[in-house]
Amino acid sequence: MLVHEDEPFNAEPTPKVLGRSTLTPINAFYSRNHGPIPTIDHDKWRLVVDGLVDTPLELSLADLKSQFEIHEVVATLQCAGNRRAGFLAVADIPGEDPWQGGAIGTAVWAGARLVDVLAAAGLADDSADLHVDFSAPDVSELATPPQAYGSSIPLSKAMQTEVLLAWRMNGRDLPRVHGAPVRVVAPAYIGARSVKWIDRISVQTTPSDNYFQATAYRILAPSADPDQAGPGDGISLGPWALNSEILTPTDDGSVPAGAVAVTGYAVAPEHRRVVRVEVSADEGATWHDALLDEQPSPWTWVHWRTNLDLDPGNRTLVARAWDDTGTQQPQEAASLWNPKGYGNTAWPTKTIHVDQERGT
Amino acid sequence: MLVHEDEPFNAEPTPKVLGRSTLTPINAFYSRNHGPIPTIDHDKWRLVVDGLVDTPLELSLADLKSQFEIHEVVATLQCAGNRRAGFLAVADIPGEDPWQGGAIGTAVWAGARLVDVLAAAGLADDSADLHVDFSAPDVSELATPPQAYGSSIPLSKAMQTEVLLAWRMNGRDLPRVHGAPVRVVAPAYIGARSVKWIDRISVQTTPSDNYFQATAYRILAPSADPDQAGPGDGISLGPWALNSEILTPTDDGSVPAGAVAVTGYAVAPEHRRVVRVEVSADEGATWHDALLDEQPSPWTWVHWRTNLDLDPGNRTLVARAWDDTGTQQPQEAASLWNPKGYGNTAWPTKTIHVDQERGT
């Protein structure tokens, strides 16, 4: 793992590890934290469900596990800051970790559906313009003012069957670093909405006013001073955009000439599918369609691969994904750059050295 | 109107006309046809509903109007070929009309909800992976082989309340050129799915095999020969992508120096909202946020406007829209160019001449 910070703990796997499998092993799953990882006594833990519900609930872990059907969802989580490193050539982004393309991972999550828990509290109508707010106990000194982490999702998303209160990950009890005893899994939304160590769910008329949602996870205007940003500035990040990354070869890597295997991942926005990924080794003069691996569910990335026949020399590989609306990723990181470095969905590039073929 | 072809009739309004109002007058609404406009005796017209339904229906116009509640939806329709003209500087696109940015319009549509008609035929479960196929009587000699027009939408879309079988447009009976007596209105899908003069609705397990859906309305690989394209090639166009256009000033237009009003429209993909439109007059060095007009419904474009203070000289104006995922339009038409010229969602540009201020 590439550790960006020890406290709060922020780390991502290497591209090589990430590319090995469609399901990401727990020990290779990125970890994004805003404060110290809390230690929670599972026997004493309670989940409060309140706000605009008929019957507020207070559930123990045993209640949650026994009163609700367990469901599995294979889903990708991705940090809003994934691929921020690609912005740094445009302009510096002080105070934020330079995530490579590894702030993303895919796991089999299991737990109760959020919609089932909301129904038990007497909310079964998704037609209202409401929000489901999540609170956690991890206090962040990075917030202004320091506060426990929280965020929300629209009720319309909360009522979808893919949104879980998960206590299992890849068939094992959820590890502490990933939110034990219970975390939210809100597929196709930035990871910041999949709140770890959740202890309260509130149905309310407004989105979360927590610092991290109201002020932090936003695409500010390029000219904005992030230290002066106030609640509501910029584009609030929730559902994510079409994105892709090249995992092999790695940047600055050397490969023998001949058939060079190029692999990576792509993720589509919610409701959409990745339908085409192209790779170019000649500055975009020609493009080669990559083969798309099978997706384990509609809520995951798709891994892709192709072989390019490359002569010796230095090359820049570039990739771009398309979804089923005909949306193509924007080309230049410069056009997407923003002061907090979110949403780098520009075409990924890797500069490689193609050596003489082995044995020649 | 700018008439591209008389037979079949294909015409679009000028940018100036299009920019006058959020609702497009009927006489300024683009017309996209693949064959002669049929003349239909409204008394003899019947709508057949069959396929995977419990009770096939055969409805007269009087049946449709009397047996189903009438609903209004304010919705934008947009042709998949809108803004094709912007592709021609990249490479020629023979055999397709060079639509400017006017193959789009917004109207108040009224009619029966498709979901209500499907329910009457005994289909109320949207969970199956089915398709709703639309047939019309207008025979196109441009199809291979010549055939009546048809297309389909996924059942999951057909069950949404925004999809209408419309017989009214902006408060008047639907005009013949726009599909009288009844047309489909499938908001946020390319216009080709909003079938005019509809006479049959069939629920089936596969998407339409009509030439225009299986072969024609697709983003082929740039190197593909469209005359050799077969069913299933390329990206099938259904739900549309984020797009925008500058309506004033017009290309090659002259304006007096000083505060220059720049206006246009932007459309978001289904489930998404346009949250930011920026305009630059200095090749992208600086960007100005446009003001977004109110949207009459979630299914329409948004008009936008800003004033730029411009000195005399030649300028290129460029705009770009963002949606609420942080998706930004791709920059270059060259990266989106495809042999049939669909889906030009690149940043719109207009070259203008800024003259000395009036009176100076």
Side-chain angles (χ1 to χ4, degrees), chain B residues 49 52-57 116-125:
Chain B
V49 183
L52 301 172
V53 296
D54 295 337
T55 313
L57 305 177
D116 291 347
V117 174
L118 292 173
L123 183 92
D125 175 9

Side-chain angles (χ1 to χ4, degrees), chain A residues 74-143:
Chain A
V74 189
T76 296
L77 296 186
Q78 179 184 213
C79 180
N82 190 33
R83 304 186 59 221
R84 177 179 290 129
F87 277 148
L88 302 184
V90 181
D92 201 17
I93 299 176
E96 302 289 338
D97 290 328
W99 296 95
Q100 310 285 325
I104 188 170
T106 300
V108 183
W109 309 96
R113 287 177 173 162
L114 177 56
V115 61
D116 291 347
V117 174
L118 292 173
L123 184 92
D125 176 9
D126 69 348
S127 65
D129 185 20
L130 297 175
H131 299 265
V132 178
D133 187 74
F134 307 127
S135 303
D138 53 321
V139 174
S140 175
E141 297 297 328
L142 304 172

Side-chain angles (χ1 to χ4, degrees), chain A residues 255-258 310-312 354-360:
Chain A
V255 295
L310 300 181
D311 294 328
V354 183
D355 302 329
Q356 295 296 326
E357 271 184 272
R358 282 178 196 141
T360 63

Side-chain angles (χ1 to χ4, degrees), chain A residues 197-212:
Chain A
W197 314 293
I198 186 169
D199 57 16
R200 185 179 200 127
I201 296 171
S202 243
V203 180
Q204 56 191 43
T205 57
T206 53
S208 172
D209 62 3
N210 188 278
Y211 168 81
F212 289 101

Side-chain angles (χ1 to χ4, degrees), chain A residues 219 239 241 272 276 327-328 335, chain B residues 219 239 241 272 276 327-328 335:
Chain A
I219 298 180
R272 302 272 69 93
R276 185 189 284 172
T327 296
Q328 184 191 81
S335 78
Chain B
I219 297 181
R272 302 273 68 94
R276 184 188 286 172
T327 296
Q328 185 192 79
S335 78

Side-chain angles (χ1 to χ4, degrees), chain A residues 162-319:
Chain A
E162 72 270 14
V163 182
L164 296 184
L165 299 171
W167 57 81
R168 291 181 71 79
M169 179 182 185
N170 288 352
R172 296 171 54 183
D173 283 343
L174 191 66
R176 181 168 156 254
V177 71
H178 292 299
V182 176
R183 75 173 300 167
V184 179
V185 174
Y189 273 52
I190 62 165
R193 306 297 182 99
S194 289
V195 174
K196 292 180 280 195
W197 314 293
I198 186 169
D199 57 16
R200 185 179 200 127
I201 296 171
S202 243
V203 180
Q204 56 191 43
T205 57
T206 53
S208 172
D209 62 3
N210 188 278
Y211 168 81
F212 289 101
Q213 183 160 331
T215 304
Y217 278 107
R218 289 175 171 264
I219 298 180
L220 300 175
S223 58
D225 175 355
D227 293 331
Q228 300 298 320
D233 288 358
I235 300 172
S236 176
L237 286 161
W240 67 45
L242 180 66
N243 205 356
S244 73
E245 180 59 288
I246 298 170
L247 293 174
T248 60
T250 52
D251 214 23
D252 222 28
S254 292
V255 295
V260 174
V262 184
T263 71
Y265 65 76
V267 286
E270 59 167 1
H271 309 294
R272 302 272 69 93
R273 286 179 306 114
V274 173
V275 295
R276 185 189 284 172
V277 174
E278 298 169 300
V279 182
S280 175
D282 57 7
E283 314 285 329
T286 57
W287 293 89
H288 305 265
D289 275 3
L291 280 176
L292 306 183
D293 288 1
E294 209 169 313
Q295 258 182 294
S297 94
W299 303 108
T300 70
W301 59 14
V302 57
H303 278 210
W304 52 264
R305 59 198 69 249
T306 189
N307 288 308
L308 299 183
D309 197 35
L310 300 181
D311 294 328
N314 292 335
R315 296 271 180 289
T316 299
L317 300 176
V318 56

